[in-house]
């Protein structure tokens, strides 16, 4: 329980009693057991945090590999694989384990992600029984190390344009893998520089002189530790962070692999060179293949959110120990005569940290939703193609917001700890350098938000997968635009809002600021207004006979704003829905405070838009800022309990001078 600032003077509010253990149980949810296993393993291997600074790069890479194999032996890394191959048969549990692993060294996290999520996930999801039988038993234990060779030096997010070629030779019944120029060099590939024996290589398949699009192949790159003939590997060298992961570049000079090396769940080539696929549309086939790999985005989003938790735990605990300047007359009751004031008793410090704390909780519950959807789609519980498209969009959006949040939180928390936060022992140096790349791997966040907006503009229609950028513009300006405008009619939205809130046309002024229906209505209005605006701008450009690519380029800023607005609405809905399901308790009251703080902080952050569009008066905008300040004061005495509830092992904070 909180031991400082035992009351909230002058507010008239009763402080909720936070049951930390029960709140940890709520946050851990159905995966409490696997999360506790990971926490135990993190403590067992806590020395890796010191070794990251003490060892040279080669020695640290070996140590990270050893840690990954040791953790694999406990079962924590194999939860997503079928039981018959030594896994746990529970994809949701595997994501929960990965999220929890982000409390520790992030090189270990990323090595696990590459080995079991990307490499292992590709073989599991894109391969068939022949690949599963051949590779999964050794892969799950870490005896067989591999890498995921998709990204190329010249093609990052544009996977359909990859330059690596896989030409089928029917006489030999082999595929010939060739790197066609420097732009087609596989780059930034984790596990490639030192440890991988196999690579899942994404390449343009050519059969009988015809291109069939990008497919995945299992290609040996080492045998017995030695690089195989025809493969050239370079070390990417030191990076900003994650130097325990051996990223490398790979070239293929006519490397031959047997016909069975094609991961053939969605397409195959017969012995005599006939291409076959149950999915007729090349575009849909490509997006179906990539869609099976969505768990990487779900994992990275969750990892970013948990890295933010580590930073906030350190900063909040420091802020209730560190004093600065003499206490004012109305300062916290635990400041004695002539004693300096605790950092977290300053309004500005509360404003810096506590809205970020609230947003972290909001993103935690949003991550719960996307993890559950992933589990249901891939476990066959929810087999509807529409559900899969919704999952892909939600995973992309949650990953973008979660990883941007991590970058912002870690920087703010470092600054909030002053010079002490700059010391490497206090985790911020590693957190900043190791998590920075989260915003661009598993999809650049801006590209991912365009994917989100694409789904909104097409209503996740069946033709969604076949639309490139120009096709999207034509679709929106054709059949879809009238549907979009009809759906997002401001009049219809206000009709729905009036059903929820009193006040008629003055609903936004009459509703209470702490009414979750008001908060949700504001975010829904913003999203739907932006969606209609993008559709109108696209149609206007096409009506003028402008080039569709130029039209889309002109509205890209609007497209990104729409996608962010959409995901922020989903995040708030997840938080509100979770709080509503809870029985009355101190924990529910505490989470309700955080939910209000998150919602009003979100509206406040974009109040210029709401005022421009007539949703906020100047007076109400000021009232929201006053309410945010008041909510910060009410959350302040709960802050330590709220970060304790995340269950971060003290060994992972590694900041004795900051947290005690």
């Amino acid at each position: 329980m909180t031991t400082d600032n035992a009351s909230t003077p002058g507010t008239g509010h009763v402080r909720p009693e936070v049951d930390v253990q029960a709140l940890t149980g709520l946050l851990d949810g159905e995966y409490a057991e696997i999360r506790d296993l990971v926490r135990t393993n993190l403590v067992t291997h806590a020395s890796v945090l010191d070794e990251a600074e003490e060892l040279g790069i080669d020695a640290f890479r070996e140590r990270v590999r050893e840690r990954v194999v040791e953790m694999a032996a406990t079962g924590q890394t194999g939860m997503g694989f079928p039981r018959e191959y030594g896994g746990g048969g529970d994809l949701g549990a595997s994501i929960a384990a990965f999220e929890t692993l982000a409390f520790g060294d992030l090189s270990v996290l990323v090595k696990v992600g590459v080995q079991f999520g990307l490499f292992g996930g590709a073989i599991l999801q894109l391969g068939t029984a022949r690949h599963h039988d051949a590779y999964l038993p050794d892969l799950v234990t870490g005896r067989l190390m591999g890498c995921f060779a998709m990204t190329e030096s010249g093609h990052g997010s544009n996977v359909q344009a990859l330059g690596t070629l896989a030409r089928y030779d029917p006489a030999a019944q082999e595929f010939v893998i060739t790197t066609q120029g420097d732009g087609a060099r596989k780059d930034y590939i984790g596990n490639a520089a030192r440890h991988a024996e196999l690579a899942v290589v994404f390449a343009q398949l050519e059969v009988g002189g015809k291109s069939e699009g990008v497919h995945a192949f299992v290609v040996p790159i080492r045998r017995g530790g030695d690089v195989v003939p025809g493969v050239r590997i370079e070390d990417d060298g030191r990076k900003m962070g994650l130097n325990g992961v051996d990223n490398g570049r790979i070239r293929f000079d006519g490397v031959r692999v047997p016909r069975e090396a094609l991961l053939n769940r969605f397409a195959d080539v017969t012995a005599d060179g006939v291409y076959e696929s149950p999915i007729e549309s090349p575009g849909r086939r490509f997006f179906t293949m990539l869609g099976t790999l969505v768990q990487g985005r779900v994992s990275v989003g969750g990892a970013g959110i948990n890295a933010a938790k580590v930073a906030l735990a350190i900063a909040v605990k420091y802020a209730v120990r560190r004093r600065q300047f003499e206490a004012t007359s109305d300062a916290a009751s635990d400041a004695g005569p002539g004693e300096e004031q605790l950092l977290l008793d300053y309004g500005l410090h509360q404003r810096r940290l506590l809205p970020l704390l609230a947003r972290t909780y909001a993103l935690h519950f949003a991550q719960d939703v996307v993890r559950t959807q992933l589990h249901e789609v891939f476990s066959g519980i929810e087999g509807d193609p529409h559900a899969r498209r919704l999952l892909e969009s939600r995973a992309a959006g949650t990953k973008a917001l979660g990883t941007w949040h991590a970058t912002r939180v870690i920087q703010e928390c470092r600054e909030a700890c002053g010079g002490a936060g700059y010391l490497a022992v206090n985790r911020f140096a590693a957190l900043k350098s190791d998590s920075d790349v989260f915003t661009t791997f598993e999809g650049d966040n801006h590209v991912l938000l365009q994917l989100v907006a694409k789904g909104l503009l097409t209503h996740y229609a069946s033709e969604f997968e076949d639309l490139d950028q120009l096709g999207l513009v034509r679709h929106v300006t054709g059949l879809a635009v009238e549907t979009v405008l009809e759906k997002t009619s401001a009049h219809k939205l206000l009709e729905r809002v009036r059903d929820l809130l009193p006040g008629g046309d003055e609903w936004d002024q009459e509703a209470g600021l702490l009414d979750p229906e008001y908060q949700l209505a504001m975010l829904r209005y913003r999203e739907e207004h932006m969606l209609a605006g993008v559709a109108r701008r696209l149609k206007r450009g096409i009506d003028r006979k402008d080039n569709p690519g130029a039209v889309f380029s002109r509205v890209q800023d609007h497209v990104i704003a729409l996608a962010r607005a959409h995901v922020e609405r989903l995040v708030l809905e997840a938080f509100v829905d979770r709080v509503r399901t809870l029985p009355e308790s101190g924990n529910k009251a505490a989470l309700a405070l955080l939910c209000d703080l998150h919602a009003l902080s979100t509206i406040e952050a974009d109040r210029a838009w709401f005022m421009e569009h007539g949703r906020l008066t100047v007076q109400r905008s000021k009232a929201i800022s006053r309410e945010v300040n008041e909510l910060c004061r009410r959350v302040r005495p709960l802050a330590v309990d709220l970060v304790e509830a995340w269950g971060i092992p003290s060994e992972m904070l590694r900041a004795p001078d900051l947290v005690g």
Side-chain angles (χ1 to χ4, degrees):
M1 294 297 172
T2 306
T3 57
D4 57 87
N5 200 23
S7 63
T8 311
T11 64
H13 296 293
V14 177
R15 181 204 301 178
E17 284 291 319
V18 176
D19 183 333
V20 174
Q21 186 174 357
L23 185 53
T24 301
L26 169 69
L27 295 171
D28 283 357
E30 62 186 298
Y31 300 116
E33 186 175 348
I34 184 67
R35 292 187 192 277
D36 280 340
L37 171 62
V38 177
R39 289 183 179 109
T40 298
N41 288 339
L42 285 172
V43 173
T44 300
H45 302 296
S47 61
V48 73
L49 298 175
D50 298 315
E51 293 162 346
E53 298 162 14
E54 297 165 355
L55 299 178
I57 187 170
D58 291 332
F60 185 52
R61 286 173 169 180
E62 290 304 318
R63 189 57 47 85
V64 167
R65 185 193 65 79
E66 292 166 6
R67 294 288 179 258
V68 168
V69 173
E70 288 163 354
M71 287 182 173
T74 72
Q76 77 167 63
T77 61
M79 292 302 300
F81 294 98
R83 294 185 185 277
E84 58 266 33
Y85 297 109
D90 189 332
L91 185 56
S94 76
I95 304 297
F98 190 81
E99 293 165 358
T100 311
L101 190 58
F103 289 154
D105 178 78
L106 296 182
S107 283
V108 173
L109 173 94
V110 171
K111 190 87 166 177
V112 166
V114 168
Q115 169 69 13
F116 303 102
L118 295 178
F119 172 62
I123 288 178
L124 177 64
Q125 299 294 344
L126 300 180
T128 53
R130 72 190 187 204
H131 306 105
H132 300 166
D133 293 343
Y135 305 121
L136 289 185
D138 285 343
L139 186 159
V140 169
T141 63
R143 288 191 298 269
L144 172 65
M145 299 293 282
C147 62
F148 182 84
M150 176 182 281
T151 300
E152 296 178 355
S153 300
H155 297 96
S157 300
N158 189 7
V159 178
Q160 280 181 293
L162 292 178
T164 302
L165 179 66
R167 180 180 290 113
Y168 184 63
D169 177 358
Q173 296 188 22
E174 293 175 331
F175 294 103
V176 184
I177 314 293
T178 305
T179 299
Q180 301 197 109
D182 289 342
R185 175 187 63 185
K186 298 298 180 182
D187 212 345
Y188 327 118
I189 308 302
N191 269 4
R194 290 288 184 276
H195 297 138
E197 296 178 49
L198 295 179
V200 171
V201 177
F202 289 80
Q204 301 285 353
L205 172 60
E206 184 181 296
V207 182
K210 180 184 177 184
S211 175
E212 300 291 355
V214 173
H215 291 67
F217 304 82
V218 179
V219 182
I221 60 173
R222 286 185 179 86
R223 289 193 184 90
D226 296 324
V227 177
V228 302
V231 174
R232 286 185 285 161
I233 300 177
E234 302 171 42
D235 196 321
D236 275 318
R238 283 194 174 273
K239 308 179 291 289
M240 280 178 62
L242 299 177
N243 283 304
V245 182
D246 51 317
N247 294 81
R249 304 182 180 100
I250 314 174
R251 296 174 186 266
F252 302 96
D253 299 325
V255 175
R256 288 181 171 267
V257 293
R259 183 176 64 90
E260 293 76 17
L262 172 65
L263 293 174
N264 63 332
R265 178 179 175 187
F266 298 112
D268 209 347
V269 177
T270 65
D272 55 354
V274 177
Y275 179 80
E276 300 175 336
S277 174
I279 304 173
E280 187 173 339
S281 161
R284 189 164 300 122
R285 187 187 312 131
F286 172 76
F287 281 103
T288 300
M289 177 184 72
L290 286 195
T292 63
L293 308 176
V294 70
Q295 72 184 71
R297 287 175 183 161
V298 177
S299 298
V300 172
I305 294 163
N306 272 19
K309 291 177 185 176
V310 176
L312 275 165
I314 296 170
V316 167
K317 291 184 176 188
Y318 180 64
V320 297
R321 297 181 71 243
R322 177 74 154 85
R323 296 181 181 275
Q324 186 87 301
F325 302 109
E326 187 171 340
T328 57
S329 58
D330 61 347
S333 59
D334 62 349
E339 194 170 16
E340 291 185 293
Q341 185 166 319
L342 291 171
L343 290 181
L344 202 54
D345 288 333
Y346 286 102
L348 178 60
H349 215 77
Q350 294 172 10
R351 266 284 193 161
R352 294 175 70 183
L353 296 183
L354 300 185
L356 296 178
L357 173 63
R359 188 174 178 88
T360 304
Y361 265 83
L363 286 164
H364 174 102
F365 292 121
Q367 176 71 9
D368 283 350
V369 173
V370 76
R371 186 195 323 106
T372 298
Q373 289 181 346
L374 177 78
H375 181 79
E376 290 176 349
V377 166
F378 282 84
S379 301
I381 299 168
E382 179 58 83
D384 178 18
H386 182 67
R388 184 179 288 267
R389 285 190 288 273
L390 288 174
L391 165 65
E392 291 167 9
S393 173
R394 188 157 194 152
T398 305
K399 183 266 180 184
L401 263 62
T403 55
W404 270 328
H405 177 70
T407 298
R408 177 187 172 194
V409 165
I410 292 164
Q411 178 63 28
E412 191 65 54
C413 289
R414 204 295 297 160
E415 292 183 29
C417 292
Y422 201 62
L423 301 178
V425 71
N426 294 327
R427 284 300 308 272
F428 289 118
L431 285 172
K432 277 173 62 70
S433 58
D434 290 346
S435 70
D436 191 85
V437 75
F438 286 12
T439 59
T440 50
F441 75 26
E442 286 302 303
D444 175 280
N445 284 351
H446 286 93
V447 175
L448 293 183
L449 288 186
Q450 288 188 77
L451 174 70
V452 173
K454 183 178 178 180
L456 293 171
L457 288 163
T458 61
H459 298 290
Y460 307 97
S462 58
E463 62 269 30
F464 171 85
E465 294 90 342
D466 289 328
L467 298 179
D468 59 13
Q469 186 164 293
L470 302 187
L472 169 65
V473 176
R474 294 188 181 106
H475 177 85
V476 171
T477 56
L479 295 176
V481 70
E482 299 305 328
T483 310
V484 169
L485 295 178
E486 174 70 15
K487 174 180 181 293
T488 60
S489 161
H491 175 72
K492 289 181 179 297
L493 177 64
L494 292 175
E495 291 286 343
R496 292 202 297 279
V497 170
R498 273 199 287 270
D499 291 339
L500 299 172
L501 299 172
D505 289 328
E506 302 300 312
W507 64 270
D508 57 326
Q509 297 174 38
E510 296 298 323
L513 294 180
L514 302 184
D515 184 340
E517 292 300 341
Y518 163 73
Q519 298 160 358
L520 287 167
M522 289 288 277
L523 297 198
R524 288 169 181 154
Y525 179 88
R526 180 180 62 167
E527 175 189 345
E528 297 200 2
H529 194 287
M530 286 183 171
L531 179 56
V534 170
R536 288 191 186 97
R537 289 181 67 188
L538 289 171
K539 187 174 190 302
R540 192 180 308 131
I542 295 301
D543 287 347
R544 290 198 305 257
K545 310 298 184 185
D546 293 347
N547 178 279
V551 172
F552 186 82
S553 181
R554 285 199 298 267
V555 303
Q556 273 182 306
D557 59 332
H558 199 153
V559 164
I560 295 300
L562 160 64
R564 288 193 75 138
H566 170 69
V567 184
E568 286 192 337
R569 189 260 298 172
L570 293 178
V571 170
L572 180 57
E573 282 183 344
F575 204 168
V576 170
D577 290 346
R578 194 68 182 93
V579 172
R580 282 174 173 164
T581 64
L582 301 177
E584 294 302 322
S585 65
N587 285 352
K588 179 174 183 173
L591 290 176
L593 282 177
L594 285 179
C595 192
D596 284 335
L597 177 55
H598 168 66
L600 294 185
S601 297
T602 300
I603 295 169
E604 182 189 47
D606 204 17
R607 60 181 162 190
W609 188 94
F610 288 108
M611 294 174 78
E612 286 176 353
H613 294 83
R615 291 300 98 198
L616 270 185
T617 62
V618 171
Q619 293 77 12
R620 196 156 175 86
S621 175
K622 291 178 178 178
I624 285 175
S625 292
R626 288 193 298 271
E627 193 65 55
V628 169
N629 287 337
E630 174 60 25
L631 287 166
C632 284
R633 286 190 288 270
R634 295 175 64 191
V635 169
R636 181 263 177 265
L638 313 177
V640 173
D641 286 347
L642 291 169
V643 299
E644 287 280 2
W646 290 328
I648 304 169
S650 59
E651 293 86 350
M652 296 302 99
L653 301 183
R654 198 172 172 256
D657 292 338
L658 295 184
V659 303

